[in-house]
Amino acid sequence: MQKLRSIVCFVTCSILCGSLAAVAQQPPVGYFDIPPGFDYPANKQTLEQYRTSANVPAQRLHVWNVFAGMTQTTPDGKYPIFETWFSEDEVFKVGPEPQAVGPRRIVRRFKQPAQLSVIPGELLPQAAGTALLSEVLYNYAGYKHVRTNRLYLTVELDALRANGAPDSVVPGNRIIPAFPSEAISLKTVWWPIARDQVTALPIWDPESNPPRPAGNPFTTWARVVAVDPNQTNVPPNATRSVFFLGKQFPNSHLVGIDAFHAVKLDAQTAQNAMANDRLARAAELALGRPLQEGDYVVLVASHLTTKEIDDWVWATLWWHDRPDDGPFAADRPAKVVGVWRNFLMSATYDLDLPREPDGKPHIAFNPWLEAGFPDGGSGNGTVSNCMNCHNRSAWWPDWQGQGGRVFLPIFRGKPDLQNDPAYAAGRLRTDFLWSVPFNSQ
Ligand code: HEC
């Protein structure tokens, strides 16, 4: 018996260790984590206390610090640190470890956000006309967790659904191994700027965009700024007329390319993006033509989630030409430097609290990514909360048959375990990350 057990142990270990060995134990050369000095990772109890006491300024300051850390420049001065992280394609690639050897090469792999076109080749009808360049990134701890547990394989998810650990909250559900507390995921959004013409960039001003039942995608926003690719140090009051979506926007605020984290596209990256017809559509909307070598893409928004607390810390940032005004500018410390000070931020540590002034559950959304969601009865995407939607993420047998529109409509507040189909029995909960069911193969 003893002998048999040791043989079983040996065999199990060889299988497990074999698959573990395939994942590099150290991040590749050229990869960088958030350096010390940015309150990351913070003490879990401290953050939980910010949550229960609804200490919004403390919650926000922590997120600003993390943002300051991830936007520090790499030692070679070439990139903000987060750009060395792993793209979704690398995280969920089937087959040998993409990063096992050699120094890391930054290849930007733009996609259409799955949440805007979840059925291949088909846009959500409500968001028709919108298209964006996006890239989901994972830091090394998040990447390693997906690779080690083979969460990129649907057979693995099926096995966990059958035999994984029971979920402690949702009856009849199981759960994937929880991500480690160092895991971070981002969802970045980029806007094209022509190399040779002043380009319009839509701006979200809540007061001039009342909620629409069909959603408030960027194609409906009232104002744009004019971005000049060839000017820097533009005087603060400069204006310019600019053309966008078939009409002229006179007297638009003129800003230089130096107000952004801008990436000049090489021929290959431009070509790769244009091979995808959704991204070609995004370029057509922004520029009236395909992306070309020498054009820029500028970072206009990013989602940020860290596993510092069990339910993850959720935050989102978006570029604004008046970044020092209003509640989303509050609490920004001096550690956030340069172009990164041009971002507004909203954070949430809870899907309910603190309540909004109207007594309803807490809101945290990004105008670029969620505002476009239609009103399904509880309000449109402008009253959504990251955690409510992400808490619903799961894998179940007919996932692919459902085409993926499963994250809508918008729900608010505490989860409705009885009536919301997202919590039906027999599901494998994916630790809040929608990209697991969306990307596994
Ligand atoms: C109504 C649903 C919904 C809401 C609300 C929502 N998301 Fe997501 N999110 C998704 C879906 C679906 C994906 C995966 C597909 C994709 O990449 O578009 C995703 C992907 C992500 C990712 C990449 C990692 C992952 O989970 O796959 C991050 C990070 C993220 N969202 C953060 C946020 C933050 C921060 C907010 C709030 C400001 C937010 N999300 C609001 C549906 C939502």
Side-chain angles (χ1 to χ4, degrees), residues 88 92 112-116 118 134 136-138 185-187 302-305 313-316 346 348 364-366 369-370 373 381 384-390 392-393 404 407-411 432-436 438-439:
E88 208 171 24
F92 291 94
Q112 162 80 353
Q115 68 179 75
L116 296 187
V118 289
S134 170
V136 169
L137 297 165
Y138 278 58
S185 177
L186 306 177
K187 182 155 155 183
S302 185
H303 277 342
L304 159 66
T305 188
V313 166
W314 299 85
T316 194
S346 177
T348 184
F365 76 99
N366 190 301
L369 288 163
E370 283 83 42
F373 290 144
S384 63
N385 177 311
C386 328
M387 280 172 103
N388 181 300
C389 180
H390 277 263
R392 301 173 72 244
S393 72
F407 53 84
L408 289 176
I410 301 298
F411 288 80
F432 290 85
L433 295 197
W434 276 113
S435 50
V436 173
F438 269 101
N439 288 284

Side-chain angles (χ1 to χ4, degrees), residues 235-253:
N237 296 324
T239 59
R240 172 82 191 246
S241 183
V242 67
F243 189 76
F244 183 57
L245 294 179
K247 67 174 189 188
Q248 208 67 35
F249 288 75
N251 304 316
S252 293
H253 184 190

Side-chain angles (χ1 to χ4, degrees), residues 103-114:
R104 187 145 177 71
R105 210 164 64 85
I106 309 300
V107 180
R108 296 183 180 89
R109 300 168 172 86
F110 298 113
K111 288 190 167 182
Q112 162 80 353

Side-chain angles (χ1 to χ4, degrees), residues 18-234:
S19 64
L20 283 181
V23 185
Q25 290 304 301
Q26 291 300 319
V29 173
Y31 167 91
F32 296 93
D33 273 318
I34 293 177
F38 294 93
D39 192 25
Y40 180 81
N43 177 277
K44 179 168 148 181
Q45 276 68 39
T46 307
L47 296 185
E48 281 293 355
Q49 206 255 326
Y50 295 167
R51 176 185 185 165
T52 48
S53 60
N55 186 344
V56 172
Q59 294 180 2
R60 291 181 56 82
L61 179 60
H62 173 64
V63 169
W64 281 126
N65 276 318
V66 174
F67 181 62
M70 72 181 222
T71 54
Q72 292 296 300
T73 307
T74 54
D76 62 9
K78 280 196 185 157
Y79 303 103
I81 277 172
F82 72 88
E83 283 222 71
T84 71
W85 295 0
F86 294 82
S87 76
E88 208 171 24
D89 287 359
E90 296 170 286
V91 177
F92 291 94
K93 184 177 180 249
V94 174
E97 282 316 297
Q99 291 300 327
V101 287
R104 187 145 177 71
R105 210 164 64 85
I106 309 300
V107 180
R108 296 183 180 89
R109 300 168 172 86
F110 298 113
K111 288 190 167 182
Q112 162 80 353
Q115 68 179 75
L116 296 187
S117 67
V118 289
I119 299 176
E122 194 190 321
L123 279 170
L124 283 175
Q126 298 86 351
T130 58
L132 279 176
L133 282 83
S134 170
E135 191 180 18
V136 169
L137 297 165
Y138 278 58
N139 74 343
Y140 181 68
Y143 164 83
K144 194 171 147 200
H145 187 73
V146 172
R147 303 305 302 177
T148 309
N149 293 287
R150 307 198 313 157
L151 301 176
Y152 52 90
L153 293 176
T154 56
V155 289
E156 194 64 37
L157 299 183
D158 286 337
L160 285 166
R161 204 180 66 78
N163 303 311
D167 188 86
S168 59
V169 179
V170 186
N173 278 213
R174 295 181 188 273
I175 183 153
I176 61 169
F179 276 79
S181 58
E182 304 80 33
I184 306 183
S185 177
L186 306 177
K187 182 155 155 183
T188 60
V189 179
W190 306 76
W191 186 257
I193 303 292
R195 60 172 182 205
D196 54 358
Q197 78 197 30
V198 174
T199 305
L201 165 67
I203 297 292
W204 174 253
D205 299 318
E207 64 284 2
S208 39
N209 294 288
R212 302 161 78 245
N216 294 57
F218 67 82
T219 45
T220 66
W221 299 353
R223 187 166 72 92
V224 302
V225 293
V227 185
D228 189 330
N230 296 311
Q231 259 202 81
T232 53
N233 297 315
V234 176

Side-chain angles (χ1 to χ4, degrees), residues 270-303:
Q271 206 181 320
N272 290 352
M274 290 309 93
N276 173 319
D277 45 336
R278 292 282 152 234
L279 300 186
R281 168 97 182 114
E284 187 64 38
L285 278 177
L287 308 178
R289 62 158 172 79
L291 275 175
Q292 295 164 2
E293 178 179 7
D295 285 339
Y296 294 94
V297 290
V298 297
L299 189 80
V300 289
S302 185
H303 277 342

